[in-house]
Amino acid sequence: MNNLDKGTVIRTVLLLVALINQFLVMFGKTPLPLDEESVNNLADVLYVAVSTLFTTVMTLITWFKNNYVTDKGKQQKEVLKQKGLTK
């Protein structure tokens, strides 16, 4: 993993966090310690909405960004660097 781009690692980790959170929400679990007495229904709905929005945004960012994960992708990135076409 030492050859991976820092942005690729960050996007991948954030996507994994978003997906884990979304699975927890799907099964009625909340990663935050919220109990029924202290939270009303509006807060629950808001939490699910924000969680879904976060997952959707992270999925789109990860999908659209060029993540050089495979060997072919790493070679492509190296060629782009040599030609001055990427950071």
Side-chain angles (χ1 to χ4, degrees), residues 26-70:
M26 277 179 23
F27 292 108
K29 307 291 183 198
T30 55
L32 300 175
L34 303 173
D35 61 353
E36 292 295 324
E37 292 84 33
S38 65
V39 178
N40 59 26
N41 286 337
L42 180 59
D44 289 340
V45 170
L46 188 59
Y47 178 77
V48 171
V50 170
S51 176
T52 302
L53 180 64
F54 175 68
T55 301
T56 303
V57 168
M58 285 312 306
T59 301
L60 291 173
I61 289 171
T62 304
W63 183 40
F64 281 114
K65 284 301 251 180
N66 196 359
N67 294 315
Y68 302 102
V69 179
T70 64

Side-chain angles (χ1 to χ4, degrees), residues 9-25 31 47 51 54-55 58:
V9 173
I10 291 170
R11 286 187 298 274
T12 303
V13 168
L14 286 175
L15 179 61
L16 288 174
V17 167
L19 291 174
I20 290 168
N21 184 63
Q22 197 62 38
F23 276 111
L24 289 171
V25 169
Y47 178 77
S51 176
F54 175 68
T55 301
M58 285 312 306

